[in-house]
Amino acid sequence: MKETILSLSPQHWEDYELIDTGGFEKLERFGDFILSRPEPQAIWDKSLDEKEWREMAHAHFAKEKNNPEKGQWNELKKIPHNWQVSYKNPDGLKMKLNLAMTSFKHIGLFPEQAVNWDYISDTLKSFPVKSPKVLNLFAYTGASSVAAKACGADVTHLDSVKQVVTWSKHNMESSGQDGIRWIVDDAMKFIRREVRRGNKYHGIILDPPAYGRGPDGEKWILEEQINEMLKLCAELLDPEHHFLILNMYSLSFSSMIAANLVKSNFKEINNAEHGELYLVDRFKKNLPLGIFFRFRSGM
C-alpha cells in the first residue's frame, strides 16, 4: 500500500478566520462575529495582548473550575444567539451552516474539517456510481453529510444526540438540500445491525470522540472500541467503488496509529493519505486540531 503523509489546512474559507492563538486559548472569526475559546493545544504565548483580545471578541467562553468541558459564554458585545456562515470551494460545493454558542464551548462547526468536505466533493464529483450510498457516523451537526448530499449522494447521518441531529436538519435546509436519512442511535449498535443485514456503503465517514454516550447510556471509549468499529466498517464498505474518512481528536493518538488501525482491518487500500489537520492564525502559528486517515478506490 502506497500512502502519502500530509499536514492539511483549509484553503477556501471566507467566513472563518483563526486570528490568534496562545495561552491555552484561540481567537476566531465566524462570519461577522469573533469568539475567544479555550484551546488546550495552544501552549505558546499569544501574539496579541489580552486587551486586544477583549476589544476584538464579541464573546468569551469561561470554563467551570471543576469541569474543563463545560462553562458559560460571557458576551462582550452584542451578538445573536444563532447566526450562519457560508462555505464554498472551487468544485462548486456550497453550504450554509448554522452556529450557536453552547455550554460545551462548541458552536456547531469544526472549521478544519473543510479539507474533508473538499475531499468528499472531489471524490463524489467523478464517482462511477449514481447516487452512491454514504454513511456518516458520529456525524455531529452534519456538514459532511450536507457536503455529500450536495454532490448527489444518498446519505445516512447518525448521531446519538437528538438535538444535534435537529441542528443537522437545519444545516441541510439552509444549504438548499433535502432527503438525508436521519438516525439517532448508538453508532456501534447501528453498524452491527447493518452488517447483519448485509448492507453496503460506497462511502463511510467516521468522526468519533475520545469519550461519548449513546442515547440509552451506551459507553464509547475510543481506544477500546475503534478497532472493532473499523472491522465492522470494512464489512460495510463496497469492495469496488468506495472511500473512507477517519478523523480522531484524542491528544494521545498520532496518525500512525490511525494508519495501523485502518491497514489492519481493510484488505485493499488505494490512494491512502494520513496526517494532521491544522489551522493557521494571522501570525503564522500552526494550531494542530486532530489526525485523519482517508482512502478511495481508483476512479
Side-chain angles (χ1 to χ4, degrees):
M1 181 195 77
K2 291 183 178 180
E3 58 188 275
T4 303
I5 301 175
L6 300 170
S7 294
L8 298 178
S9 186
Q11 302 299 310
H12 308 301
W13 269 115
E14 294 181 4
D15 272 1
Y16 173 80
E17 179 187 9
L18 182 61
I19 298 170
D20 193 13
T21 56
F24 301 97
E25 291 186 310
K26 56 188 174 184
L27 187 67
E28 305 164 282
R29 177 181 63 82
F30 294 89
D32 296 329
F33 304 103
I34 294 175
L35 304 178
S36 169
R37 295 192 285 170
E39 178 45 66
Q41 303 222 81
I43 64 175
W44 46 85
D45 290 337
K46 297 174 179 177
S47 297
L48 299 171
D49 62 35
E50 292 292 341
K51 182 181 177 183
E52 291 173 294
W53 275 52
R54 290 289 173 153
E55 287 176 347
M56 295 176 73
H58 288 80
H60 168 74
F61 186 87
K63 296 185 293 185
E64 289 183 2
K65 287 185 178 179
N66 298 323
N67 188 344
E69 291 301 316
K70 290 194 71 175
Q72 64 180 10
W73 289 94
N74 298 323
E75 293 187 15
L76 307 174
K77 299 177 186 175
K78 189 175 182 180
I79 182 172
H81 181 69
N82 303 93
W83 72 102
Q84 293 181 328
V85 295
S86 296
Y87 181 78
K88 60 182 180 180
N89 71 14
D91 281 344
L93 174 64
K94 294 181 180 179
M95 298 191 293
K96 192 163 284 188
L97 305 171
N98 297 278
L99 309 185
M101 295 183 291
T102 74
S103 62
F104 292 91
K105 82 181 178 182
H106 300 302
I107 62 166
L109 173 66
F110 294 100
E112 70 278 3
Q113 286 298 321
V115 299
N116 283 326
W117 309 337
D118 293 344
Y119 184 84
I120 292 166
S121 173
D122 181 65
T123 300
L124 292 179
K125 72 178 183 181
S126 56
F127 208 77
V129 176
K130 186 178 180 181
S131 299
K133 293 179 63 179
V134 173
L135 173 63
N136 189 7
L137 297 169
F138 308 97
Y140 190 45
T141 56
S144 291
S145 298
V146 175
K149 187 65 185 179
C151 298
D154 176 6
V155 179
T156 298
H157 170 113
L158 182 143
D159 198 276
S160 65
V161 180
K162 186 176 180 180
Q163 293 93 324
V164 298
V165 172
T166 300
W167 197 331
S168 303
K169 291 179 183 178
H170 293 324
N171 285 336
M172 177 189 70
E173 292 162 357
S174 297
S175 299
Q177 303 297 327
D178 61 25
I180 292 175
R181 179 190 182 202
W182 309 106
I183 296 178
V184 178
D185 201 352
D186 177 72
M188 192 72 85
K189 282 184 176 179
F190 176 78
I191 61 173
R192 284 173 181 155
R193 290 198 304 270
E194 289 292 88
V195 168
R196 290 197 297 270
R197 293 166 180 152
N199 286 336
K200 297 290 183 183
Y201 292 88
H202 299 100
I204 300 178
I205 304 161
L206 303 96
D207 200 354
Y211 304 98
R213 292 280 183 181
D216 295 321
E218 301 93 341
K219 186 182 292 186
W220 166 265
I221 300 174
L222 181 68
E223 290 88 341
E224 295 178 6
Q225 293 167 283
I226 187 61
N227 191 48
E228 181 188 351
M229 177 161 280
L230 288 171
K231 278 183 170 65
L232 294 167
C233 287
E235 296 188 57
L236 289 177
L237 199 63
D238 184 270
E240 187 174 1
H241 303 299
H242 57 254
F243 72 91
L244 180 134
I245 301 171
L246 170 65
N247 295 294
M248 293 192 291
Y249 293 91
S250 175
L251 297 180
S252 62
F253 274 24
S254 75
S255 71
M256 286 185 282
I257 291 177
N260 289 338
L261 281 165
V262 174
K263 286 187 283 188
S264 68
N265 286 303
F266 290 82
K267 293 180 180 178
E268 185 172 342
I269 300 172
N270 297 302
N271 306 303
E273 301 173 342
H274 69 90
E276 285 190 284
L277 302 181
Y278 70 100
L279 295 169
V280 186
D281 69 19
R282 286 183 184 176
F283 304 93
K284 308 303 180 185
K285 301 192 298 291
N286 297 331
L287 177 64
L289 287 164
I291 62 171
F292 72 94
F293 191 103
R294 61 194 194 187
F295 65 86
R296 56 190 176 188
S297 56
M299 303 300 177

